[in-house]
Amino acid sequence: MPDLRNFNTFSGNTLDRAGNIRKSTEWMASQIKHPKAKFLPILNLTAPIQTKNNSKNIKYLNLNQMTNYKISYNNLIFLGIKDETPYFAFDISKSKTENEKFFDNVIFEEVRKAAMYLSNEDSSLLAHARSMVDWKLNNNFCPKCGYKTKSHQGGHIEICGNKDCNKEIFPRTDPVVIMLVYNKNNCVVGRQSNFPVNFFSVLAGFIEPGESIESAVYREVFEEIAIKVKNIVYHSSQPWPYPSSLMIGCIAEAENTNIVIDEEEIVEAKWVNRELILSALKKSKASKEDPLTKRPDNTLGELLLPPPIAIAHHLLKYWAENPRFFL
Ligand SMILES: [Zn+2]
């Protein structure tokens, strides 16, 4: 198996989340005032990217620039520390100050799009921030009693302000199984209705409560294409910040080959041989476009596969390049 730490996009977060010490209110207050602290403003779930000397980087604000915002312990999210520098994210969607001069040459970019050119380390930090900001924006009120919640531990827990309730709400991660299904020299690719013409990927679906990873792989494949699978193995995982999924990549062997699709889930599924997968992957690697946001118009008949930003690309690549493991 490959080295997994930086293998998938968004899987290369190198910040120390300081899970134990962030519980201390005093420590957290000292980090907010730390002279090296970096603050990441998030605007409508997009991230600030500054272009300078032909290079694109994340634009952080420093403590002085933060005086433009009404920030408090309650609306900052602590992301972690690196090189004695604490990193925080905060939402500016309701602020009027995103046009300040420190945003010269800055565009607010969709995290998935920024990941096409940033380092995996930076992309992973943005993914973490996007998921946390989205979670925080949706958890201002207690789901049990409706009372306003208050942020603790650097934004990693919201606690209901109603003393008779005190419900604690933690950030959530939604597990999704994404699986390559193969039989001898062929694997299954499927197309959802929102995919561009000729764009195919591997199958995927949410894990349900009370379900193991293996059970979810078996169930999803059978529901979507009526194929029974065996020999399910884990490959790697990828946080996917839309809004906070964890893609759990698996590879499974098909017991039968007659595909019957569930038309509510996908519009097309087919067997494709290893050689065709390898040549289509090469083209997807060369492309700098996100195929889900650009609809190709001159590629009729050509198989289009996900780019390296997607774990699906790496599942297909691993299977196609290692026939000895899967025959
Ligand atoms: Zn409550």
Side-chain angles (χ1 to χ4, degrees):
M1 281 285 171
D3 172 17
L4 304 181
R5 191 171 169 82
N6 279 318
F7 182 66
N8 289 312
T9 297
F10 304 135
S11 300
N13 196 338
T14 55
L15 295 185
D16 173 0
R17 297 178 186 228
N20 289 330
I21 199 166
R22 76 184 178 208
K23 291 174 186 163
S24 158
T25 313
E26 295 77 36
W27 183 82
M28 195 50 74
S30 74
Q31 297 305 299
I32 292 170
K33 291 181 197 137
H34 195 288
K36 282 179 153 184
K38 289 187 174 184
F39 299 88
L40 174 67
I42 298 289
L43 175 68
N44 297 325
L45 302 177
T46 61
I49 306 292
Q50 187 164 48
T51 305
K52 231 184 199 175
N53 305 326
N54 283 333
S55 76
K56 292 178 173 180
N57 291 293
I58 300 173
K59 170 66 182 176
Y60 294 102
L61 302 184
N62 61 35
L63 195 55
N64 291 338
Q65 292 166 325
M66 289 300 284
T67 53
N68 290 278
Y69 296 96
K70 278 189 204 154
I71 57 155
S72 71
Y73 184 82
N74 198 43
N75 52 25
L76 276 176
I77 295 165
F78 174 68
L79 298 175
I81 304 179
K82 192 178 182 190
D83 300 331
E84 296 174 359
T85 301
Y87 288 76
F88 294 89
F90 67 111
D91 177 55
I92 59 165
S93 305
K94 288 191 180 141
S95 167
K96 298 274 184 249
T97 51
E98 67 264 23
N99 294 323
E100 290 289 338
K101 63 179 185 303
F102 43 75
F103 284 124
D104 277 355
N105 297 320
V106 169
I107 53 158
F108 280 84
E109 184 95 283
E110 203 29 86
V111 168
R112 192 171 72 188
K113 220 171 160 193
M116 306 288 275
Y117 54 80
L118 289 178
S119 70
N120 197 19
E121 190 177 353
D122 281 348
S123 305
S124 303
L125 185 151
L126 294 186
H128 179 195
R130 190 192 192 281
S131 288
M132 286 297 294
V133 168
D134 181 78
W135 171 75
K136 190 163 166 48
L137 288 171
N138 285 289
N139 286 277
N140 291 320
F141 296 93
C142 175
K144 193 173 170 191
C145 76
Y147 209 87
K148 200 143 177 41
T149 59
K150 201 164 176 219
S151 190
H152 294 263
Q153 299 183 20
H156 286 261
I157 179 170
E158 295 284 324
I159 300 178
C160 177
N162 174 1
K163 295 238 176 320
D164 296 330
C165 175
N166 263 338
K167 184 173 174 61
E168 298 179 338
I169 309 146
F170 293 92
R172 55 177 296 159
T173 292
D174 300 318
V176 174
V177 282
I178 177 161
M179 49 271 166
L180 179 137
V181 176
Y182 71 95
N183 182 271
K184 299 192 172 75
N185 198 45
N186 300 293
C187 75
V188 174
V189 290
R191 199 167 77 76
Q192 293 175 17
S193 57
N194 61 330
F195 286 2
V197 177
N198 296 329
F199 182 86
F200 285 79
S201 187
V202 298
L203 306 178
F206 282 100
I207 297 182
E208 295 189 348
E211 194 170 44
S212 69
I213 293 172
E214 299 86 335
S215 303
V217 167
Y218 184 90
R219 177 184 54 77
E220 278 290 337
V221 174
F222 191 71
E223 280 176 8
E224 292 189 12
I225 57 171
I227 298 275
K228 288 185 176 175
V229 294
K230 60 182 180 181
N231 298 329
I232 300 163
V233 291
Y234 169 77
H235 176 268
S236 62
S237 64
Q238 176 183 43
W240 190 251
Y242 292 89
S244 57
S245 293
L246 177 66
M247 311 299 288
I248 301 170
C250 295
I251 298 177
E253 184 176 2
E255 284 191 352
N256 56 310
T257 55
N258 186 27
I259 291 173
V260 183
I261 62 164
D262 171 9
E263 289 174 5
E264 275 187 24
E265 300 249 1
I266 46 179
V267 289
E268 197 179 349
K270 59 184 179 183
W271 290 101
V272 176
N273 70 38
R274 191 169 250 124
E275 292 71 29
L276 189 53
I277 292 288
L278 282 171
S279 70
L281 283 176
K282 264 189 202 153
K283 283 176 206 147
S284 74
K285 202 172 178 184
S287 168
K288 289 279 171 212
E289 302 290 348
D290 180 349
L292 285 186
T293 55
K294 184 179 161 59
R295 193 169 284 266
D297 51 9
N298 58 353
T299 49
L300 278 180
E302 189 180 9
L303 174 66
L304 300 172
L305 293 176
I309 186 180
I311 188 175
H313 179 99
H314 298 283
L315 287 169
L316 286 159
K317 186 167 181 280
Y318 188 74
W319 171 77
E321 287 182 348
N322 294 287
R324 68 191 187 283
F325 297 159
F326 303 108
L327 276 177

